[in-house]
Every structure is written in C-alpha cells, then in structure tokens.
Amino acid sequence: MSARQESPIQMSVQDKTGTNRRGQALAGALAGVAVLAVLVAVYVGIQVSDGDDKPASPVAASAPAAAAEPTEPAPAPSQAPAQTPLDPRLQEPPVVKAGEGKVTELKVTEIITGKGPKLQAGQTIQANYVGVTYADGKEFDSSWKSGQPAQFPVGAGQLIKGWDEGLVGVPVGSRVQLDIPAAMAYGDPAPEGRPSGDLRFVVDVLAAQ
C-alpha cells in the first residue's frame, strides 16, 4: 500500500508550525540571554558600589603625611642689655667746689664721658651724686653717705628741671657737672628744707633701663 501523500495545504501548515516553534525557541533563548545580561550588569553595579564604600587600603592609610613646610624660627627672647663698663674713677666720690659768678642758664659739663647709650626721657637711672650750693660750695645732699646709689626716672617731671633736662642725652657711665639756676632748682628763696639759689651737682650715671 502506497504511503499517504500530504496535501500542499497540510505541508504549508506543518512548515508554518515548525517555523513558529523554531522562532519561539529562538525568542526564548534571546530572552534568556537578555535576562542573564541584566543579572550580570546588576551584579557588576553592586560590586562597584561596594568598592566605593570600602575604606582606603592599608597601604594608602599607612602612607606618611606630607612633611610640614618649614617655618621661620621663632625669635629668641630678648636679653637684658650688657652692663656698661664703668670708669674706675666712678668708685670714688668727686670733690665738688663752689662756682664763680651767677648761673644764668643750665650748664652741663662732662667730667668723665661714659661708653654706654645716651639717656632717654622716661628711663629710670641709678646714680651717685653730690649737691652743693653754687655760691659757697656747701654740701647739702649726697648719695655717697648712704652707701647706695639713688634710683629715679629722668625726663618725667618728677625731678627738678635742672636734672630732667640736664641728664637726658648723657651717656651711661658718665660723670657730669650740672650748674643749675635757681629757677630750674628749688627757687630763691626755696621751700623750707631745700637749698636756695643756684646749685651745682656732680652726678655719676651708673646704669639705666
């Protein structure tokens, strides 16, 4: 008995059915690939995100910090000025004699010129002095009798004008003679307990600060 032949219509349906099945299989495969690609992309994204959140590696963390830029050295504390060497003659009190005539203006005479800086107004000095009345040389005051130099500010209005104006500018270490008119001393007559008239002082400037 001969094999049954399929009609062209039947063959066409079968061909279409086979083609549809192959298309569905191919579509399913492509869909599977797409899903796999999406999963891979999501996984990679998660790994990248986790990497951003991770702390720096120990090598980076242990790297030494950049050396600080060198700075200028801090200024050293200021030191007290060196003491001015004094002339040995300042260890002995001066002999102060009377003057001649009348003192009409302040006169400053250097007997020993010091090697230190010049006195400035407002400085406090250490000094020995002898004071006498100009006319007769009678001593009325002396720091030498106490055995200790006097200490006082100059150029600050706390002394008689003859001292304030006469000592400013005198080098430390000097011995100077001040001939002072009465108007720049205590006056004439002077208040009780003060010498009247023109005065003469010999002052040794030992130190200043």
Side-chain angles (χ1 to χ4, degrees):
M1 186 172 179
S2 60
R4 184 179 177 179
Q5 294 183 346
E6 296 179 345
S7 66
I9 296 176
Q10 290 176 329
M11 292 180 63
S12 176
V13 169
Q14 290 176 352
D15 290 341
K16 289 182 178 180
T17 302
T19 300
N20 289 340
R21 289 177 179 175
R22 288 194 298 270
Q24 290 175 355
L26 180 60
L30 291 176
V33 172
V35 170
L36 180 61
V38 170
L39 292 176
V40 170
V42 170
Y43 177 79
V44 172
I46 293 174
Q47 293 298 316
V48 171
S49 176
D50 290 343
D52 291 340
D53 294 337
K54 290 181 180 179
S57 67
V59 175
S62 62
E69 295 183 0
T71 57
E72 295 183 0
S78 57
Q79 298 179 349
Q83 185 176 0
T84 301
L86 301 177
D87 191 297
R89 290 175 289 175
L90 298 182
Q91 297 178 5
E92 299 293 332
V95 176
V96 186
K97 299 180 179 180
E100 297 180 358
K102 187 79 174 174
V103 181
T104 58
E105 61 182 10
L106 176 64
K107 183 179 180 181
V108 181
T109 304
E110 287 190 357
I111 301 172
I112 297 173
T113 301
K115 298 180 180 179
K118 294 182 178 181
L119 294 181
Q120 299 180 9
Q123 285 188 300
T124 297
I125 71 170
Q126 291 183 2
N128 277 320
Y129 65 90
V130 175
V132 302
T133 50
Y134 186 82
D136 57 14
K138 183 178 180 179
E139 183 178 306
F140 60 83
D141 195 7
S142 174
S143 66
W144 292 91
K145 292 182 178 179
S146 68
Q148 294 291 334
Q151 183 170 309
F152 43 80
V154 296
Q158 299 183 25
L159 306 172
I160 60 175
K161 285 186 178 181
W163 277 58
D164 262 351
E165 297 182 15
L167 292 178
V168 172
V170 172
V172 174
S174 297
R175 171 173 285 177
V176 295
Q177 178 176 282
L178 304 177
D179 291 335
I180 305 174
M184 298 182 72
Y186 301 105
D188 190 9
E192 184 177 356
R194 299 293 186 181
S196 296
D198 303 333
L199 305 178
R200 171 172 281 179
F201 287 89
V202 174
V203 183
D204 299 343
V205 181
L206 306 177
Q209 61 181 4

